[in-house]
Amino acid sequence: MIKQIDLMFRTMVAELQQRAFDDDWADDFPPSGRFVPVTVDGRRYWYFDQPDGEGGQKRRYVGPADDPLIAERVETFKGEKSDYKARRKFVSTLTREAGLIAADRFTGDVIQGLAKAGLFRLRGILVGTVAFQCYSAYLGIRLPSAAILTGDADLAQDFAISAEVADSLPPTLDLLKQIDPTFRPVPHISGSPRSHAFRNQTGYRVEFLTTNRGAEEYSDTPANMSALGGASAEPLRFMDFLIRDPVRSILLHGAGISVVIPDPCRYAVHKLIIAGRRQNDAGGQAKRDKDLRQAGMLFDALPVTGHGPSLADALEEAWDRGPAWKLAIAEAAEIMHKEYWDTVNRMVGVLDR
């Protein structure tokens, strides 16, 4: 049974997360500018107008007006003094004393570069194993290092949101080359000139994903994403379920990186679905094993951390989406690792009656 870390360390995580968000906010929105509400398709958003030094204004997207954290920061807007050194000490304490695992240095540098460029402000979401690492801090639990090893970084953005924000990252390839000049676009299997992935000479891969629009004409080609600095994104089935209602967390690297990740309940259920649909070749089996282990750990941890009802709701929502979803969940539950088999099958069994 997974146990939570001490309350003192959980409080430290919450403080670090707030300070990291505050620091990003201060960098992005200096006192010389002002916040402007804009209504788009009946929903209210905040934008930030800042003098461009040439007599005009530069406008940048901030986020939905109904996001409580953004609304609070707009209300109390002022310049914030960075406390970088104090945050580094927090990260050191959480990794050395609380036993939480930091991101590897290169992954941390990649995510930090994209975060500073505005990826999460533009409602990008960190997904995949790097997001799974963040659940250690978000839930206040220790995760075994074997479950979080990765050689890539996966980022997602909803297709409609990418067009809706009317803002963009700087050129994504340029951002990545600032971290490692050997990054190159990866040709898409369809032959499309657009690329949704970038890889360096060591094989480290940065990949952008998006929601599947449903039409067959879009299924095998990368989607053009206007907010991703020239990068496209691979449309994937079930991605809409994963990235709905994401949460804010912290990636333990440097002084802490404020990130946006999928809700852990949705991540756990999504991993079940994906595991149940993996191919039976060697590559598929290895990925399935990792999917099942991550899902099992979260099914074990979420009830302990007070998220049991939300996990049940997410599982029921997926179960009710149709036969293909039910089949994938049921098949993954049957082959779940033995240490998590009872927990997972107990919850799935309730839906299958």
Side-chain angles (χ1 to χ4, degrees), residues 64-285:
D66 56 8
D67 182 317
L69 189 55
I70 290 176
E72 179 184 352
R73 298 299 303 170
V74 170
E75 184 67 25
T76 61
F77 171 55
K78 61 180 180 179
E80 299 282 353
K81 184 179 180 180
S82 173
D83 59 352
Y84 183 84
K85 290 184 179 179
R87 286 166 46 209
R88 282 189 67 94
K89 290 181 180 178
F90 274 31
V91 171
S92 178
T93 299
L94 290 168
T95 54
R96 294 182 182 181
E97 298 182 27
L100 303 185
I101 299 176
D104 70 85
R105 180 173 297 179
F106 190 78
T107 295
D109 288 347
V110 168
I111 302 305
Q112 183 168 291
L114 293 171
K116 287 295 185 184
L119 176 67
F120 301 113
R121 175 177 60 83
L122 296 174
R123 296 169 72 183
I125 302 170
L126 181 61
V127 297
T129 296
V130 183
F132 183 76
Q133 295 178 13
C134 298
Y135 294 133
S136 180
Y138 183 80
L139 298 172
I141 58 175
R142 295 184 182 92
L143 294 171
S145 57
I148 64 173
L149 295 176
T150 186
D152 54 29
D154 297 329
L155 298 309
Q157 187 184 51
D158 182 88
F159 179 80
I161 285 174
S162 194
E164 183 180 276
V165 297
D167 198 352
S168 177
L169 294 174
T172 300
L173 182 57
D174 291 349
L175 290 174
L176 293 174
K177 283 189 171 184
Q178 290 174 17
I179 301 162
D180 182 344
T182 70
F183 267 113
R184 297 288 185 272
V186 177
H188 194 268
I189 192 172
S190 68
S192 169
R194 297 196 297 263
S195 180
H196 75 288
F198 304 86
R199 186 168 53 220
N200 70 1
Q201 65 181 8
T202 68
Y204 192 96
R205 184 180 175 101
V206 178
E207 186 168 0
F208 293 90
L209 310 171
T210 191
T211 46
N212 190 343
R213 286 178 281 170
E216 188 173 336
E217 62 185 290
Y218 301 125
S219 61
D220 296 323
T221 58
N224 188 24
M225 306 290 283
S226 57
L228 294 184
S232 298
E234 182 79 352
L236 292 180
R237 191 177 180 190
F238 311 112
M239 184 58 62
D240 64 314
F241 175 85
L242 175 65
I243 65 175
R244 181 180 178 183
D245 300 327
V247 298
R248 295 184 187 275
S249 186
I250 193 83
L251 183 67
L252 296 178
H253 171 78
I257 306 170
S258 179
V259 297
V260 179
I261 58 176
D263 178 280
C265 302
R266 290 183 174 275
Y267 187 99
V269 175
H270 182 263
K271 281 297 178 184
L272 274 188
I273 296 167
I274 298 304
R277 294 175 59 86
R278 291 285 189 194
Q279 298 294 322
N280 286 320
D281 57 20
Q285 290 173 3

